[in-house]
Amino acid sequence: KAEFGNYGDLLRKASSNEQITQFFKVDARPIKIQSPRLSMNLSGTFDQLPGLIPNLSDGLFSRFMFLLMEPYSKWIPQRPDKKSGNYRDIFSTLSKDALAMWKYLGNTHTWVIFTDEQWERHTSYWENQLSSLLCEGGIEQQSIINRHGLNHCRIAAVLSTLRMWNETRGNRPTSQNMFITCTDEDFNTASMIVDTLLPHSLHLST
């Protein structure tokens, strides 16, 4: 609620990779982010959510996907062993792999192509979801359906890109454009993820 608060507008623009411009009160110095690439992963309780997203009207809620979970009541041993390994070593390896992937993909434009059948499935599924919602009078929740349909494609594209990286790591691209055809396996995985999360978002929005 102060100079560095109220950043819902920033998150809404970042979700669509729109240019972000901010001015600070001290010297009115402009800060511009031409093509923001932002990913957020938050965890918390029900009571914390209204502080971040107080209502559905400004569109911020629909830009998130939610997973509601029951408390996990079993103690998880924290002691390192040969089976689970040391978390410092595990994350060190993962971070090096992530950096190599970022360098690899940062030099190219990756285009993920969906097949005609995948597009037909996508259209049919989300038309039915929207129709069912509107029949129940959920006009305020329509944007949740729309953006989950968008995220369905985004998740499938990310999975396809990760698959490409795992299959070609170490081999640098020969051009600045890479074209990947989304496999049915990646498309189906994305479908199951979004199909699981959508009811959670619709439930939480009420």
Side-chain angles (χ1 to χ4, degrees), residues 62-197:
S62 62
R63 287 169 166 83
F64 284 88
M65 293 187 293
F66 296 92
L67 177 64
L68 307 180
M69 302 171 61
E70 294 293 331
Y72 191 75
S73 56
K74 183 179 179 180
W75 177 257
I76 302 175
Q78 303 298 303
R79 178 181 177 180
D81 55 39
K82 293 182 179 179
K83 183 178 179 180
S84 62
N86 186 298
Y87 79 92
R88 293 181 183 274
D89 297 334
I90 293 173
F91 279 98
S92 176
T93 301
L94 289 175
S95 64
K96 291 177 181 177
D97 192 47
L99 177 59
M101 180 169 56
W102 177 80
K103 289 180 178 179
Y104 179 90
L105 296 173
N107 295 323
T108 64
H109 294 148
T110 304
W111 303 86
V112 177
I113 311 300
F114 296 102
T115 66
D116 291 340
E117 181 184 4
Q118 290 167 352
W119 276 124
E120 290 173 2
R121 288 176 54 193
H122 184 273
T123 299
S124 176
Y125 179 84
W126 292 105
E127 278 184 346
N128 291 334
Q129 290 291 339
L130 182 59
S131 177
S132 298
L133 180 71
L134 295 179
C135 285
E136 297 174 1
I139 188 66
E140 291 184 350
Q141 298 167 308
Q142 180 175 344
S143 59
I144 297 175
I145 299 291
N146 294 338
R147 292 202 168 93
H148 273 65
L150 168 63
N151 288 330
H152 183 182
C153 292
R154 286 179 165 178
I155 293 172
V158 169
L159 294 176
S160 296
T161 304
L162 290 174
R163 180 185 297 275
M164 181 275 302
W165 159 252
N166 285 327
E167 293 175 352
T168 63
R169 67 173 67 205
N171 300 320
R172 299 194 61 79
T174 56
S175 67
Q176 290 191 341
N177 292 294
M178 285 191 297
F179 295 88
I180 306 170
T181 299
C182 181
T183 65
D184 287 337
E185 181 180 355
D186 292 333
F187 188 84
N188 292 339
T189 300
S191 299
M192 289 187 290
I193 291 174
V194 179
D195 192 46
T196 299
L197 298 179

Side-chain angles (χ1 to χ4, degrees), residues 15-33:
S15 71
S16 300
N17 308 124
E18 299 175 12
Q19 177 179 295
I20 296 174
T21 302
Q22 288 189 333
F23 293 87
F24 286 98
K25 296 178 182 178
V26 176
D27 55 6
R29 181 171 55 92
I31 294 178
K32 293 184 179 181
I33 306 174

